[in-house]
Amino acid sequence: MIIEPKRKRKNSSPLGKLEGASGGIYIHIPFCKQACHYCDFHFSTSLKKKDELINALTKELELRKDEFKSTNVETIYFGGGTPSLLTNEELQFLIDTVYNNYQVSENPEITVEANPDDLSVDRIIKLSKSRINRLSIGIQSFFEADLKLMNRAHNATEAKACLEEATKHFSNISLDLIYGIPGASNAQWIQNIDMALSFGVPHISSYALTVEPKTALASFIKKGVIEDVNDEQAHEQFHLLKEKLEASGFIHYELSNFGKEGFFSKNNSAYWQGKSYIGIGPSAHSFNGKQRGWNVRNNSKYIKALAVNELPIEIETLTQTDQYNEYIMTGLRTIWGVSIQKVENDFGLNYKDYLIEQAEVFINQQLLYIEDKHIRVTKKGQFLCDGIASELFKIN
């Protein structure tokens, strides 16, 4: 694995060009009203540098357009942080910058992550009249106790009200739910799922509450203020979620994602299928199949670099083994699985033989199975698939 050092670049693209393909653009908005106790993403609770940051995002988009010179942009995704803290005009300004510098497909998926407290009736209506055609709403839970434990900025009433209004104006909505919350029973989790389903949204993303180092949640658990997460209960709630959503017509197309037919996230699916994407903004990551890049995780340093036309990015060139491991990790999480033929075609016979040999023990344990020359996880193995994938990795 080769790590390229930071170096100044003026008016040049750091990653190699991708010719004649499709890709996506991810724009990281590093601002939040307050810090959720479980979050370790990059953000600031101060909006003082918002205007400077938007100008820097625009500059990075312009400087990196050659990376997608012959590439069709199929998805534009605003993540964070909390992108809904930007005004409609600011979001539109960034979207216009993409259109002015890139080839954009006729009907791109344009997603904005939003928190319920930012989605007033007027805001939703105005968003629906823009180019934005998909909302990803951070509900997390419909219970006040859960929201307070996580230090969310919204309350349960706002969560329900925003979904009631958003579903009137957007057909493509995803909502986030978190399971494995300390103190939240299985019965309460089922109520959360039922409430989400009652709004008729076509996509749900759901994640186990994870205790990340150096977060407030980790500190509270260490001090005994909050009880530790229960992995066994999280496992149970994952299977309750899967059972309920599949019974309601959702397809479990990726470990944490469930969608109705025609409503899979195009942005996320492209990531899992190894398509290229450009990450814009502080801490954003990029990928072109052979290289991975990541921007500096500091708003001030990011803004200063772009002010003098420099790209504050580090690049990692992936070895063949890195690319194989990447494919195993992403492929195993999805309904598409890992193609044995693709492994042989892209990496060679030795990699294919290694994969089948390593997979055999998990096949015997009924955690993996082979069908149509694809390796997939069983229902029993789904919750464990990241750990299984790591056992299939090849070490140089």
Side-chain angles (χ1 to χ4, degrees):
M1 185 180 293
I2 302 171
I3 306 292
E4 294 186 7
K6 290 183 182 178
R7 54 179 178 268
K8 297 179 180 179
R9 299 177 177 87
K10 294 190 177 182
N11 298 315
S12 64
S13 296
L15 297 185
K17 298 177 184 177
L18 183 73
E19 302 293 342
S22 60
I25 293 178
Y26 170 85
I27 302 175
H28 187 76
I29 307 301
F31 300 114
C32 288
K33 286 181 182 176
Q34 60 193 50
C36 296
H37 288 160
Y38 57 86
C39 183
D40 70 341
F41 290 166
H42 172 66
F43 67 91
S44 170
T45 54
S46 171
L47 298 178
K48 290 180 181 178
K49 294 184 177 181
K50 187 175 76 164
D51 290 345
E52 293 176 82
L53 193 282
I54 291 171
N55 288 334
L57 294 173
T58 303
K59 179 63 67 68
E60 187 182 4
L61 281 166
E62 293 170 348
L63 290 178
R64 298 185 66 181
K65 62 184 179 183
D66 283 349
E67 291 175 44
F68 272 16
K69 192 170 184 179
S70 300
T71 300
N72 223 27
V73 174
E74 292 187 331
T75 63
I76 303 171
Y77 192 100
F78 290 90
T82 311
S84 53
L85 285 179
L86 267 58
T87 65
N88 291 2
E89 292 73 23
E90 289 166 339
L91 289 169
Q92 189 59 54
F93 177 64
L94 290 168
I95 293 170
D96 288 344
T97 301
V98 174
Y99 271 82
N100 291 336
N101 289 278
Y102 296 81
Q103 298 178 53
V104 182
S105 66
E106 187 175 349
N107 296 301
E109 177 187 87
I110 303 181
T111 303
V112 171
E113 290 183 354
N115 280 349
D117 46 302
D118 295 324
L119 293 178
S120 65
V121 174
D122 182 63
R123 182 82 194 275
I124 291 169
I125 292 172
K126 288 180 178 178
L127 284 171
S128 71
K129 294 178 179 178
S130 71
R131 280 178 162 146
I132 295 161
N133 52 31
R134 185 173 185 270
L135 295 180
S136 178
I137 305 176
I139 300 295
Q140 316 309 356
S141 176
F142 292 98
F143 287 89
E144 290 295 345
D146 295 345
L147 297 173
K148 289 179 180 178
L149 181 148
M150 293 185 283
N151 199 40
R152 296 291 293 171
H154 70 278
N155 58 43
T157 300
E158 289 171 322
K160 297 169 188 175
C162 87
L163 284 171
E164 184 71 38
E165 191 63 30
T167 50
K168 295 177 184 177
H169 302 280
F170 283 86
S171 61
N172 198 352
I173 294 175
S174 177
L175 63 81
D176 288 354
L177 292 176
I178 291 180
Y179 58 88
I181 299 172
S185 66
N186 288 353
Q188 183 176 315
W189 175 234
I190 290 173
Q191 290 180 58
N192 257 329
I193 301 168
D194 286 339
M195 180 61 70
L197 290 172
S198 72
F199 292 98
V201 296
H203 191 279
I204 292 175
S205 296
S206 191
Y207 309 89
L209 183 65
T210 304
V211 184
E212 301 292 350
K214 300 181 181 179
T215 60
L217 179 62
S219 176
F220 292 149
I221 290 174
K222 185 177 181 180
K223 294 176 182 177
V225 177
I226 297 174
E227 63 181 278
D228 202 352
V229 298
N230 184 319
D231 290 339
E232 184 177 337
Q233 185 177 50
H235 196 170
E236 291 175 4
Q237 293 182 356
F238 168 79
H239 285 294
L240 286 171
L241 173 76
K242 179 178 173 66
E243 181 180 321
K244 293 277 292 181
L245 293 189
E246 288 183 339
S248 297
F250 284 79
I251 300 168
H252 190 195
Y253 70 100
E254 193 273 340
L255 180 63
S256 303
N257 288 269
F258 300 78
K260 294 285 184 73
E261 189 72 53
F263 287 95
F264 295 179
S265 168
K266 292 180 181 178
N267 173 82
N268 293 350
S269 295
Y271 166 70
W272 297 313
Q273 292 172 350
K275 292 187 178 182
S276 294
Y277 55 89
I278 294 177
I280 302 295
S283 81
H285 284 226
S286 302
F287 178 72
N288 69 359
K290 307 265 184 206
Q291 295 172 306
R292 183 175 301 285
W294 56 94
N295 287 346
V296 64
R297 191 182 168 102
N298 182 288
N299 290 0
S300 295
K301 290 180 180 179
Y302 175 81
I303 291 167
K304 288 178 182 178
L306 269 302
V308 292
N309 292 342
E310 294 177 3
L311 293 169
I313 189 170
E314 290 187 55
I315 300 168
E316 172 188 19
T317 298
L318 302 178
T319 65
Q320 185 180 50
T321 298
D322 294 332
Q323 293 173 50
Y324 164 83
N325 291 344
E326 178 96 12
Y327 175 57
I328 298 300
M329 175 59 79
T330 55
L332 211 59
R333 291 176 62 96
T334 71
I335 57 171
W336 304 290
V338 173
S339 167
I340 296 172
Q341 191 61 56
K342 176 178 171 62
V343 170
E344 182 177 352
N345 292 345
D346 292 358
F347 306 106
L349 191 59
N350 287 341
Y351 280 85
K352 186 195 85 167
D353 291 343
Y354 176 84
L355 170 62
I356 293 174
E357 181 183 345
Q358 294 298 109
E360 186 175 355
V361 62
F362 297 105
I363 292 171
N364 292 337
Q365 294 173 6
Q366 298 184 324
L367 298 174
L368 295 177
Y369 68 99
I370 297 178
E371 182 180 73
D372 299 327
K373 296 184 178 180
H374 283 72
I375 296 177
R376 298 183 176 94
V377 291
T378 63
K379 180 179 179 180
K380 178 181 175 183
Q382 280 181 321
F383 192 73
L384 308 170
C385 83
D386 284 348
I388 295 170
S390 68
E391 294 297 320
L392 304 183
F393 285 173
K394 203 170 192 305
I395 308 299
N396 281 331

